[in-house]
Amino acid sequence: MKRSTLALLRCPRDNCGTAPLTADVWIATVLDTGEDELVEGVVTCDACGGAYPIVCGVLVLLDDLAAYLRDHLGVITSLTAHGPSDAMTGWLASRAPAAVDPRHVNRSMKLEDRYVNAFLGAHFDHRTTDADTDPLIAGLLAANATRDLWSTATTLFDRTTPTSALDVGSSVGGLSALLSRRGCATVGVDTSFLSVLVARRALLFTPHPLNSYRAYREGDLYDERPLTVEGDPRYADFIVGSGLTRLVRDPVDLTCAVNLIDLVPDPARLLDTLISQTAEGGHLLITSPYGWSGVPRSRWLGGTSDEASPTALRAAGTARGLKVTWENDRVPWLWRDYSRFWRLYIVDVVLFTRT
Ligand SMILES: C[S@@+](CC[C@H](N)C(=O)[O-])C[C@H]1O[C@@H](n2cnc3c(N)ncnc32)[C@H](O)[C@@H]1O
């Protein structure tokens, strides 16, 4: 994490308000941009004393660290190329509730790796992969090029010109890169440690630059493809955190939850948390294909009513004092899982203004 990012953040626990966070830095370095980078250490909330680790440059700013480590400790410590020091491994183990089952670790690591590589393709290589060898894919990509999720986001950022943003569910950082290129200081937030590590490698070149990714062909076979990220490292940083808790001390111009609201256990809480971090007159960009994966029906934005999800999202926003500034509920989002498995989502995109 950049040292300058620390001043923007707050404790995820509600009661702590905007009390400052203090870093005990164990390892530091300087980024290519000249900014100070905190590689390893522990961040403490001045109000509650809650402690949050910085591992391999990634701050884990989660309220329930023990629960997170139960599922992620194995993934974090098995990152041998960029792994934590022995001291940090010990610190993390002392916070984890129980020993981690290595089989679980290997499986989750493999799944995470597949997922992260698919998103690297979707965020940074989506216009070209397979287009030269498959006319069907080339046609679909060409048809979508000027109206897909990325083009739509670009148009909206041109209209709203935010100078500060929170990209919740940032994954490997495509949207944050787009914002950073416009000089908008963006913090990307994701619960996936590997995604945040990879986003920082791709955009900030730390702890090591990421110059290629795996485009899976079939089974475990993949093509190593070059990765070109058009972002401005001076204007982006990424942390592990949850969109369900407040993370920034001062509201930002733009909060984004792109393809996230149908995945969190409490979508209404995500909306409330985003609003509370958006400046008055600022914007919220919410997009979703409404898969509602793992979300009980009673928690959908429309609840158990027959209301269509796009209507329910607009109603939920309006009831909270938001104004719909731009909308299109049929935005294509085409991305590749492997060469014979492309996904075409039809995403609802809403830009709200906080009045
Ligand atoms: C479907 S992906 C969307 C990623 C990216 N925004 C995009 O559209 O390509 C959802 C992302 O949200 C992350 N995520 C899930 N729950 C989250 C939460 N509570 N807070 C922040 N990120 C979360 C996942 O790890 C994943 O990277």
Side-chain angles (χ1 to χ4, degrees), residues 115 119 123 168-169 171 190-192 241-243 258-260 263-264 333:
Y115 180 75
F119 272 87
H123 285 205
V168 179
S171 180
D190 203 288
T191 45
S192 159
S242 171
V258 169
N259 307 330
L260 176 65
L263 294 177
V264 292
W333 184 42

Side-chain angles (χ1 to χ4, degrees), residues 7 17 24 59 65 71 82-83 131 193 214 219 222-223 247 278 285 310 317 332 345:
D24 175 16
L59 172 68
L65 183 64
D71 297 332
H82 320 281
F193 187 90
R214 296 174 175 184
Y222 59 85
D223 298 309
L247 296 170
T278 310
L285 175 64
Y345 288 85

Side-chain angles (χ1 to χ4, degrees), residues 139-177:
L140 281 170
L141 287 168
N144 282 335
T146 56
R147 52 194 282 265
D148 69 3
L149 192 53
W150 301 104
S151 311
T152 303
T154 304
T155 309
L156 294 178
F157 297 157
D158 285 346
R159 283 171 57 145
T160 51
T161 59
T163 60
S164 57
L166 196 59
D167 174 15
V168 179
S170 49
S171 180
V172 295
L175 196 79
S176 298

